[in-house]
Amino acid sequence: MKTSIVLNEANLGPHKLKNRMVMPPMTRSRATKDHVPTALMTEYYAERASAGLIITEGIAISPNAAGYPRMPGIYNEPQANAWKEITKAVHQNKGKIFAQLMHSGRISHKLNMPEGSEIVAPSPIAPATTEMYTDQKGNQPIGVPKEMTRQDIEQAIEEHVQSAKRAIDSGFDGVELHAANGYLLEQFLNPQANHRDDEYGGSIENRCRLTLEIAKKVSEAIGTDKVGIRLSPGGALNDMGPFEGQQETFEYLVEALNKLSLVYIHLVDHVSMGAPEVPEKLKEGIVHNFKGNIIFCGGFDHKKAENKVREDDRFFIAFGRPFIANPDLPKRFEINAPLNEPKPDFFYAGGREGYTDYPTLEEVGTDKA
């Protein structure tokens, strides 16, 4: 038995994890221009399989969802087949891996998207300050998106369901619904981006409707024990932020998610990125109202993680940049070894540098205490 609780085995619902350390979703832009995962991605994820759970970077569920350059997708057969190689490699290294299903919504640009796709959102409101990088022309302003029709909404729901099924068929242990960081589902949740006056806008119940419908239908399709969701109340990314009625909105949402018995909520706090800290009352409400597991993400080191998981055996901790730079992060925590520093200039560069070139303890000959 390890003295570190973070490093001990734990159960995430029915999933037996080798530790409580989660590698969270992180955009890395190493897929092809057609959004097909690559062999380099297989190497990257396999190297980090010592995490208790890997959650992939955001995976586009449709051509309309693919807002970023070289963002992986899972909406066609070549993409699914490429993910099979990744899940196989992670499982061979005795890891667990969930697919984060993502729709970019208005955070997109046509130059990054397949031909025939369109940029859609709850309302025709462009993000005021966010730009989108394109390989062809660098940073570009984001235009006004198309307001989604009822048919568009039904299509997005079905895209989530079909992508979840395809993910399980591709060997993933489960999926995470991306309702955070200013993308489509959070655009519906947040009245700053959602000015609709139909059943998907206005009231708290209406703004939460799409997220809950997707969570319910995906759960019915693949099983609630294979479905988690990511939330970022008050997050700073992509022209989102705190809003009036935020506490009540997330209380309602989390109570409804609890009734669906999802396996976890992944709670992101963007305070380290300059956002206001998620109010303690809001976090306490989520912990109280959701009876499943909770993954906390944002600003944790080993000591802070230890203190957090001692509060409740439902808690897991996500480490972002430390996992980018340290494929063997759990081992480094175990023997209190120094950490490699990440290389931000290469986070989205598209090659091996800053992606799969970080040395492990074994490679430098210091893998023992």
Side-chain angles (χ1 to χ4, degrees), residues 85-102:
E85 295 303 311
I86 293 174
T87 60
K88 179 182 176 181
V90 170
H91 290 149
Q92 284 177 338
N93 287 349
K94 297 180 170 41
K96 299 281 188 180
I97 184 167
F98 273 40
Q100 188 191 61
L101 304 183
M102 174 174 163

Side-chain angles (χ1 to χ4, degrees), residues 17 35 54 65 103 119 180 186 188 214 241 255 260 270 274 279 304 311 342 345:
L17 308 186
H35 307 285
I54 292 173
H103 195 306
I119 302 172
E186 190 179 28
F188 272 89
I214 289 172
E255 287 177 3
L260 295 176
H270 286 138
K304 290 179 181 177
E311 294 178 11
D345 290 347

Side-chain angles (χ1 to χ4, degrees), residues 5-177:
I5 297 179
V6 171
L7 293 171
N8 282 340
E9 292 182 349
N11 293 323
L12 184 78
H15 308 281
K16 190 173 184 62
L17 308 186
K18 50 192 165 186
N19 54 58
R20 292 180 180 270
M21 298 177 64
V22 176
M23 176 175 156
M26 291 177 286
T27 299
R28 302 309 311 275
S29 301
R30 261 69 176 189
T32 70
K33 65 181 179 61
D34 296 319
H35 307 285
V36 178
T38 60
L40 190 62
M41 290 172 61
T42 301
E43 181 181 344
Y44 169 77
Y45 282 113
E47 282 180 343
R48 288 154 178 81
S50 61
L53 175 66
I54 292 173
I55 308 170
T56 69
E57 61 209 280
I59 302 175
I61 60 170
S62 69
N64 287 352
Y68 285 92
R70 292 166 277 115
M71 173 185 182
I74 196 166
Y75 53 83
N76 61 35
E77 188 172 352
Q79 294 165 353
N81 287 338
W83 281 116
K84 287 179 182 177
E85 295 303 311
I86 293 174
T87 60
K88 179 182 176 181
V90 170
H91 290 149
Q92 284 177 338
N93 287 349
K94 297 180 170 41
K96 299 281 188 180
I97 184 167
F98 273 40
Q100 188 191 61
L101 304 183
M102 174 174 163
H103 195 306
S104 301
R106 69 179 186 172
I107 306 301
S108 188
H109 196 280
K110 291 291 288 184
L111 290 176
N112 296 336
M113 302 168 71
E115 186 175 350
S117 57
E118 55 186 356
I119 302 172
V120 298
S123 299
I125 304 170
T129 62
T130 302
E131 292 187 326
M132 175 58 70
Y133 177 81
T134 68
D135 285 333
Q136 299 92 328
K137 297 183 178 182
N139 285 342
Q140 293 292 304
I142 295 176
V144 177
K146 172 195 169 186
E147 180 174 86
M148 295 175 75
T149 65
R150 181 58 187 264
Q151 182 177 355
D152 292 330
I153 290 172
E154 291 174 353
Q155 177 180 324
I157 294 171
E158 184 62 17
E159 288 167 352
H160 278 86
V161 171
Q162 293 306 316
S163 293
K165 291 180 177 178
R166 198 172 288 116
I168 298 304
D169 290 343
S170 298
F172 283 102
D173 298 292
V175 304
E176 176 178 281
L177 306 177

Side-chain angles (χ1 to χ4, degrees), residues 269-284:
D269 193 328
H270 286 138
V271 66
S272 63
M273 302 176 68
E277 186 174 3
V278 177
E280 197 61 35
K281 182 180 177 183
L282 198 159
K283 288 189 279 192
E284 289 173 355

